[in-house]
Amino acid sequence: MPEPIIIQKRPPKSPAVAGILSAILPGIGSLYNGLYTKGILFILVFAGLVTMQDRGGQPFFGLLMAGFYFFQIIDSVNNAKAINKAYDRTGSLFEN
């Protein structure tokens, strides 16, 4: 008689880990959450803002960079919470 296959539940995403990773390097929290396109886009946008600030020295780009930095941290935390909510409701990371 074949033994049953036991599939262990995947642990939910930690909003704290997502926020800390995003604070270390913008975009990494989205990569942690499995949102690869968004994570890569955030990394590229942040690199572009840093480059613009370095070349022009305009305070506008510095404010944009600061706003984007905090936005992506909050976004990663909220995405982790949404993934956990969907996981708790359906029992899997993907909607049924």
Side-chain angles (χ1 to χ4, degrees), residues 4 7 18 22 25 28 32 36 38 43 53-54 56 67-68 73-74 79-80 87-89 92-93:
I7 300 174
S22 290
L25 180 66
I28 301 298
Y32 166 76
Y36 302 113
K38 183 185 267 190
I43 291 169
Q53 176 62 22
D54 187 41
F68 178 74
I73 292 173
I74 294 167
N79 283 329
Y87 182 79
D88 290 340
R89 187 181 52 210
S92 72
L93 289 176

Side-chain angles (χ1 to χ4, degrees), residues 37-71:
T37 304
K38 183 185 267 190
I40 292 170
L41 182 67
F42 280 179
I43 291 169
L44 293 175
V45 167
F46 188 74
L49 287 171
V50 168
T51 302
M52 285 186 215
Q53 176 62 22
D54 187 41
R55 289 186 183 191
Q58 298 291 328
F60 176 71
F61 291 119
L63 291 173
L64 272 178
M65 188 171 48
F68 178 74
Y69 180 78
F70 289 111
F71 161 76

